[in-house]
mmCIF file of all heavy atoms in Angstrom:
data_model
loop_
_atom_site.group_PDB
_atom_site.id
_atom_site.type_symbol
_atom_site.label_atom_id
_atom_site.label_comp_id
_atom_site.label_asym_id
_atom_site.label_seq_id
_atom_site.Cartn_x
_atom_site.Cartn_y
_atom_site.Cartn_z
ATOM 1 N N ARG R 11 129.424 -59.993 -12.868
ATOM 2 C CA ARG R 11 129.491 -58.667 -13.488
ATOM 3 C C ARG R 11 130.613 -58.615 -14.501
ATOM 4 O O ARG R 11 131.648 -59.278 -14.364
ATOM 5 C CB ARG R 11 129.631 -57.592 -12.411
ATOM 6 C CG ARG R 11 130.996 -57.186 -11.871
ATOM 7 C CD ARG R 11 131.927 -58.265 -11.499
ATOM 8 N NE ARG R 11 133.076 -57.797 -10.759
ATOM 9 C CZ ARG R 11 134.297 -57.572 -11.284
ATOM 10 N NH1 ARG R 11 134.533 -57.795 -12.547
ATOM 11 N NH2 ARG R 11 135.278 -57.153 -10.512
ATOM 12 N N ALA R 13 132.943 -55.642 -16.138
ATOM 13 C CA ALA R 13 133.207 -54.286 -15.640
ATOM 14 C C ALA R 13 134.236 -53.529 -16.479
ATOM 15 O O ALA R 13 135.335 -53.246 -16.011
ATOM 16 C CB ALA R 13 133.675 -54.394 -14.177
ATOM 17 N N PRO R 14 133.895 -53.196 -17.704
ATOM 18 C CA PRO R 14 134.878 -52.487 -18.538
ATOM 19 C C PRO R 14 135.024 -51.008 -18.164
ATOM 20 O O PRO R 14 134.127 -50.424 -17.565
ATOM 21 C CB PRO R 14 134.271 -52.609 -19.945
ATOM 22 C CG PRO R 14 132.796 -52.693 -19.710
ATOM 23 C CD PRO R 14 132.611 -53.406 -18.406
ATOM 24 N N SER R 15 136.160 -50.442 -18.531
ATOM 25 C CA SER R 15 136.385 -49.004 -18.346
ATOM 26 C C SER R 15 136.182 -48.333 -19.702
ATOM 27 O O SER R 15 136.774 -48.767 -20.693
ATOM 28 C CB SER R 15 137.816 -48.742 -17.882
ATOM 29 O OG SER R 15 138.029 -49.401 -16.666
ATOM 30 N N GLU R 47 133.198 -48.815 -15.327
ATOM 31 C CA GLU R 47 134.212 -48.363 -14.362
ATOM 32 C C GLU R 47 134.831 -47.062 -14.875
ATOM 33 O O GLU R 47 135.863 -47.041 -15.534
ATOM 34 C CB GLU R 47 135.240 -49.468 -14.142
ATOM 35 C CG GLU R 47 134.560 -50.732 -13.604
ATOM 36 C CD GLU R 47 135.408 -51.582 -12.664
ATOM 37 O OE1 GLU R 47 136.630 -51.621 -12.839
ATOM 38 O OE2 GLU R 47 134.817 -52.205 -11.762
ATOM 39 N N TYR R 204 140.811 -47.674 -8.336
ATOM 40 C CA TYR R 204 140.166 -48.901 -8.825
ATOM 41 C C TYR R 204 139.965 -49.884 -7.673
ATOM 42 O O TYR R 204 138.892 -50.483 -7.516
ATOM 43 C CB TYR R 204 141.039 -49.514 -9.940
ATOM 44 C CG TYR R 204 140.781 -50.987 -10.158
ATOM 45 C CD1 TYR R 204 139.531 -51.428 -10.587
ATOM 46 C CD2 TYR R 204 141.777 -51.933 -9.918
ATOM 47 C CE1 TYR R 204 139.280 -52.784 -10.772
ATOM 48 C CE2 TYR R 204 141.536 -53.286 -10.103
ATOM 49 C CZ TYR R 204 140.283 -53.707 -10.522
ATOM 50 O OH TYR R 204 140.047 -55.041 -10.692
ATOM 51 N N VAL R 208 136.269 -51.129 -6.733
ATOM 52 C CA VAL R 208 135.856 -52.470 -7.156
ATOM 53 C C VAL R 208 135.354 -53.305 -5.969
ATOM 54 O O VAL R 208 134.345 -54.010 -6.081
ATOM 55 C CB VAL R 208 136.999 -53.156 -7.956
ATOM 56 C CG1 VAL R 208 138.071 -53.727 -7.062
ATOM 57 C CG2 VAL R 208 136.466 -54.241 -8.854
ATOM 58 N N ARG R 222 137.185 -62.551 -14.533
ATOM 59 C CA ARG R 222 138.000 -61.518 -15.185
ATOM 60 C C ARG R 222 139.335 -62.126 -15.577
ATOM 61 O O ARG R 222 139.664 -63.245 -15.173
ATOM 62 C CB ARG R 222 138.184 -60.310 -14.254
ATOM 63 C CG ARG R 222 138.894 -60.642 -12.967
ATOM 64 C CD ARG R 222 138.917 -59.437 -12.041
ATOM 65 N NE ARG R 222 139.606 -59.718 -10.792
ATOM 66 C CZ ARG R 222 139.556 -58.929 -9.729
ATOM 67 N NH1 ARG R 222 138.862 -57.813 -9.745
ATOM 68 N NH2 ARG R 222 140.219 -59.247 -8.643
ATOM 69 N N LEU R 226 144.557 -59.709 -13.628
ATOM 70 C CA LEU R 226 144.139 -59.103 -12.351
ATOM 71 C C LEU R 226 144.285 -60.077 -11.177
ATOM 72 O O LEU R 226 143.873 -59.777 -10.060
ATOM 73 C CB LEU R 226 142.695 -58.595 -12.470
ATOM 74 C CG LEU R 226 142.584 -57.325 -13.323
ATOM 75 C CD1 LEU R 226 141.133 -57.030 -13.678
ATOM 76 C CD2 LEU R 226 143.212 -56.130 -12.611
HETATM 77 N N1 LIG B 1 137.749 -52.158 -15.225
HETATM 78 C C1 LIG B 1 138.723 -53.198 -15.321
HETATM 79 C C2 LIG B 1 139.229 -53.292 -16.733
HETATM 80 O O1 LIG B 1 138.573 -52.785 -17.655
HETATM 81 C C3 LIG B 1 138.184 -54.555 -14.916
HETATM 82 C C4 LIG B 1 138.129 -54.685 -13.467
HETATM 83 C C5 LIG B 1 137.596 -55.988 -12.887
HETATM 84 O O2 LIG B 1 137.051 -56.826 -13.615
HETATM 85 O O3 LIG B 1 137.723 -56.132 -11.688
HETATM 86 O O4 LIG B 1 140.277 -53.863 -16.940
#
Side-chain angles (χ1 to χ4, degrees):
R11 87 313 192 260
S15 300
E47 300 212 328
Y204 159 63
V208 79
R222 61 186 180 193
L226 287 167

